[in-house]
Amino acid sequence: MKSIKLTLDRTIYWIVLSVIGLAYVAFLSNMPNEWFRDRYYYVIYASFSDQIIDAYKEQSILALFFNEPIFLYFNYYLEKVFDPEFIPHIFVGFITSVFFIFLGRNSRNFLIFIPGLFLCLIMPYVLQGELVAIRQGFATSVFILSFFILKDDKKILAVLFLCSLFHSVFFIFTVFYFLNFFVLKSFSFNKKLVVHFFVMLAFASIAVLAAKFFGLRQGEGYEKIEDLGVGGGAFLVFLIVFIYLYFFGNRENRKMYEFAMMGLVMFLTSYFISPIAGRLFNTVIPFVIFLLVSRSRAIVFVMIFFLIMVFLFLFINGSYTDLFAISVSPEEFRNYWKSLISL
């Protein structure tokens, strides 16, 4: 009888989530391309991917290999079916669907799911992966699918490598995943964290030079911003999250726990010394949120509401304007919302 009740409760849970999920995905994936910075470049990729591929081939096969060939070929074939202007919306729809489904799957119950979802709607690292850095967001979604569906770490590692051909930042995750789940497999968790700290410290120090050496187009972009000053607010917030998860995090899913903690170490270690830190964290943050919502205790709600208050304050004070290409007026946003409701 108890099992029947649990099955019924879970069925109702997913029915409710399906309704919310449709609204969530529709809301984010239908936002105009013109609102967001870099979206224009995704339209260009979709329109001229064959020419971009040929340009890299003229340089060398190695240049093509290190500049996301799967992403380019993916756009090449999508453009044969869809209008280039619509292709970014396809990516966003897939990304938001995967994020939402696995947030629901990892949430202990509906009470913890709701604040977790709200956190996703106001946290810049999540929004960046869903709406702006959609090439990385798509690769992150593919990795999330493999991480929770595949049981063999070798297969997950293979998917990570393929993701690196969609976005070059996954070359780094491939190395660290191999290090954590293969090379350091017999090491204690604390020793793994120490090794990750020193390896990331060394890598972050040469990240820009390494990107330029291998011909990654991001190398020049990172070089332009590496001298910019970095505030310590995000570092302090996620140091608190790291300490909380270290002592109170849910370790039932060892693999998810270790990957989230490994990612936090990578982010915190490189935060002040490399511009790649934020880019890495766009892939790590979904796992951190999945880990947070996997328990439903008072202390978990305290931590999530602490994060909500921090990022809601930043959101209200306009700290996310760099995500947008233009200033979106309240009237434009209301009109967009009304157009969705009228569908």
Side-chain angles (χ1 to χ4, degrees):
M1 197 70 173
K2 186 177 180 181
S3 62
I4 296 174
K5 185 179 183 302
L6 286 173
T7 302
L8 181 61
D9 289 346
R10 204 64 184 170
T11 301
I12 295 172
Y13 172 78
W14 278 108
I15 290 173
V16 174
L17 256 61
S18 296
V19 175
I20 298 173
L22 287 172
Y24 177 82
V25 173
F27 176 68
L28 293 178
S29 63
N30 283 288
M31 288 183 174
N33 289 329
E34 295 76 19
W35 283 8
F36 302 99
R37 65 175 174 83
D38 295 344
R39 278 285 183 94
Y40 176 68
Y41 295 108
Y42 287 101
V43 177
I44 291 176
Y45 277 122
S47 302
F48 305 105
S49 53
D50 55 339
Q51 296 177 36
I52 298 171
I53 291 168
D54 290 338
Y56 281 130
K57 283 181 177 179
E58 286 180 8
Q59 295 179 41
S60 68
I61 294 298
L62 194 64
L64 177 62
F65 179 81
F66 282 109
N67 282 282
E68 296 129 3
I70 292 182
F71 168 71
L72 292 172
Y73 280 107
F74 205 68
N75 275 276
Y76 174 75
Y77 289 108
L78 282 176
E79 192 270 336
K80 293 182 178 298
V81 181
F82 301 101
D83 185 281
E85 292 280 347
F86 183 66
I87 291 175
H89 297 287
I90 297 174
F91 284 125
V92 174
F94 179 78
I95 296 165
T96 52
S97 296
V98 171
F99 282 16
F100 185 90
I101 289 169
F102 284 92
L103 177 69
R105 178 177 172 176
N106 285 287
S107 294
R108 180 66 71 179
N109 53 46
F110 191 72
L111 286 177
I112 197 69
F113 167 81
I114 290 299
L117 179 63
F118 186 70
L119 181 60
C120 289
L121 283 168
I122 61 171
M123 184 178 282
Y125 296 104
V126 177
L127 293 174
Q128 176 95 359
E130 289 181 323
L131 299 172
V132 181
I134 56 179
R135 183 172 61 256
Q136 182 181 356
F138 185 88
T140 299
S141 300
V142 172
F143 172 53
I144 288 172
L145 284 168
S146 70
F147 188 90
F148 288 106
I149 293 174
L150 300 177
K151 304 301 180 185
D152 188 344
D153 280 327
K154 293 178 181 177
K155 293 179 180 178
I156 297 173
L157 187 67
V159 172
L160 261 176
F161 178 74
L162 289 175
C163 286
S164 67
L165 302 180
F166 208 93
H167 194 286
S168 54
V169 76
F170 280 86
F171 281 116
I172 303 171
F173 285 111
T174 301
V175 171
F176 275 86
Y177 195 92
F178 178 72
L179 184 64
N180 191 85
F181 294 105
F182 292 88
V183 178
L184 305 177
K185 189 174 183 179
S186 61
F187 281 47
S188 69
F189 177 64
N190 288 341
K191 288 181 180 178
K192 287 181 178 181
L193 292 182
V194 172
V195 172
H196 290 319
F197 169 77
F198 283 108
V199 173
M200 192 63 208
L201 187 65
F203 176 79
S205 302
I206 62 167
V208 175
L209 290 176
K212 292 182 68 179
F213 176 80
F214 287 109
L216 273 67
R217 57 182 178 71
Q218 291 92 341
E220 293 183 4
Y222 291 147
E223 187 179 41
K224 290 176 183 177
I225 63 173
E226 68 178 337
D227 294 328
L228 296 179
V230 178
F235 178 86
L236 181 59
V237 168
F238 288 105
L239 178 61
I240 293 171
V241 172
F242 175 82
I243 294 171
Y244 163 78
L245 290 175
Y246 184 84
F247 289 105
F248 304 107
N250 185 3
R251 303 195 184 198
E252 292 175 10
N253 186 332
R254 182 188 65 83
K255 188 167 66 174
M256 180 169 70
Y257 180 80
E258 288 196 5
F259 184 82
M261 294 297 282
M262 177 188 80
L264 282 166
V265 168
M266 293 168 69
F267 172 70
L268 295 170
T269 303
S270 58
Y271 185 84
F272 290 108
I273 58 178
S274 175
I276 204 171
R279 178 67 77 174
L280 288 170
F281 207 51
N282 290 344
T283 292
V284 173
I285 192 61
F287 292 90
V288 173
I289 295 175
F290 296 161
L291 187 60
L292 284 171
V293 299
S294 65
R295 277 187 172 172
S296 183
R297 298 179 179 178
I299 193 170
V300 180
F301 282 96
V302 170
M303 175 53 63
I304 291 179
F305 279 109
F306 161 71
L307 292 173
I308 287 174
M309 293 304 294
V310 169
F311 290 107
L312 187 59
F313 173 81
L314 294 174
F315 190 87
I316 292 172
N317 284 275
S319 298
Y320 295 0
T321 53
D322 63 331
L323 292 176
F324 296 94
I326 60 172
S327 178
V328 181
S329 68
E331 185 179 355
E332 284 181 287
F333 193 78
R334 281 196 298 270
N335 289 337
Y336 168 69
W337 181 248
K338 288 178 182 177
S339 69
L340 282 183
I341 295 174
S342 65
L343 292 178

